[in-house]
């Protein structure tokens, strides 16, 4: 399986080669909740992360954010299975591509076991085999048909905090 996720500042977007797309707000909370199952969450390493409530991260560099719970929640929202083996594609602003090794080092050939509640509560394991990091603007280019790709193309990605463009002549 191939999983593509954009861990955006305002929204998380994702799809797989068989499921998606999904979108959810990137705000989260780790505050105590008396009834955790009343919320959507990931329980990873003994810590609850609740989704689409709380605050948005103010960290500018995406790889410096505490992103693992969001990543696992996104994978869980796109898959019903309890065990997922996937290759992962993540997007970064062009100006942050120098930091892509952090994603690769922290995720490649790693297994994550956690409890998640999206529509229902379940225990999951996600095995990330490989990690491929691409600039955000380039991702849209690969969705274009061959005739458009052969012409002059300008792709502009207007994100929550960054704007990237690529031009192909």
């Amino acid at each position: 399986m191939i999983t593509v996720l954009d861990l955006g500042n305002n929204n998380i977007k994702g799809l797989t080669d068989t499921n998606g797309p999904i979108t959810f707000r990137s705000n989260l909370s780790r505050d105590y909740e008396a009834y955790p199952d009343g919320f959507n969450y990931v329980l990873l390493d003994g810590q609850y992360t609740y989704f689409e409530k709380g605050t948005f991260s103010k960290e500018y560099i995406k790889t410096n954010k505490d992103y693992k719970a969001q990543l696992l929640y996104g994978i869980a929202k796109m898959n019903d299975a309890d065990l997922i083996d996937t290759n992962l594609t993540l997007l970064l602003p062009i100006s942050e591509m120098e930091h892509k090794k952090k994603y690769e080092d922290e995720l490649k050939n790693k297994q994550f076991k956690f409890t998640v509640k999206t529509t229902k509560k379940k225990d999951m394991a996600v095995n990330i085999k490989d990690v491929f990091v691409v600039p955000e603007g380039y991702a849209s280019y690969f969705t274009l048909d061959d005739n458009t790709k052969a012409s002059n193309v300008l792709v502009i990605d207007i994100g929550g905090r960054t704007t990237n463009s690529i031009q192909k002549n």
Side-chain angles (χ1 to χ4, degrees):
M1 174 189 300
I2 298 171
T3 302
V4 180
L5 283 167
D6 178 9
L7 304 173
N9 292 305
N10 294 311
N11 293 296
I12 309 296
K13 287 90 48 192
L15 57 93
T16 72
D17 48 348
T18 57
N19 298 316
I22 57 119
T23 301
F24 60 94
R25 302 288 290 166
S26 61
N27 55 321
L28 56 85
S29 171
R30 293 205 171 93
D31 293 341
Y32 172 78
E33 295 293 344
Y35 182 66
D37 288 340
F39 303 92
N40 292 333
Y41 65 81
V42 162
L43 174 59
L44 177 66
D45 299 329
Q47 182 176 42
Y48 283 92
T49 302
Y50 301 98
F51 295 96
E52 300 190 83
K53 69 177 297 248
T55 60
F56 291 93
S57 175
K58 294 179 181 158
E59 173 59 50
Y60 183 76
I61 305 295
K62 283 187 176 184
T63 55
N64 288 342
K65 292 181 181 189
D66 187 5
Y67 64 87
K68 287 181 188 164
Q70 288 178 320
L71 181 138
L72 296 172
Y73 183 74
I75 292 172
K77 280 185 71 76
M78 292 184 282
N79 297 282
D80 290 330
D82 297 337
L83 174 63
I84 305 294
D85 291 311
T86 191
N87 292 312
L88 182 62
T89 300
L90 294 172
L91 286 73
L92 274 179
I94 293 170
S95 61
E96 295 180 28
M97 286 301 290
E98 67 188 87
H99 304 289
K100 74 178 189 170
K101 188 167 176 5
K102 184 173 181 187
Y103 277 156
E104 295 164 349
D105 292 345
E106 293 181 357
L107 299 171
K108 185 176 181 176
N109 295 318
K110 299 287 193 300
Q111 181 182 71
F112 298 92
K113 292 182 178 181
F114 58 100
T115 302
V116 62
K117 181 176 174 284
T118 56
T119 55
K120 64 179 182 173
K121 180 180 171 181
K122 66 179 175 176
D123 293 324
M124 285 188 74
V126 172
N127 298 313
I128 300 173
K129 296 185 224 172
D130 201 2
V131 177
F132 183 57
V133 182
V134 297
E136 291 171 344
Y138 284 88
S140 299
Y141 176 80
F142 295 109
T143 66
L144 302 174
D145 63 68
D146 289 338
N147 288 336
T148 304
K149 286 180 185 177
S151 65
N152 290 330
V153 177
L154 174 63
V155 176
I156 300 175
D157 174 39
I158 301 172
R161 291 189 182 167
T162 60
T163 299
N164 298 287
S165 64
I166 61 163
Q167 184 172 3
K168 182 202 160 282
N169 293 323

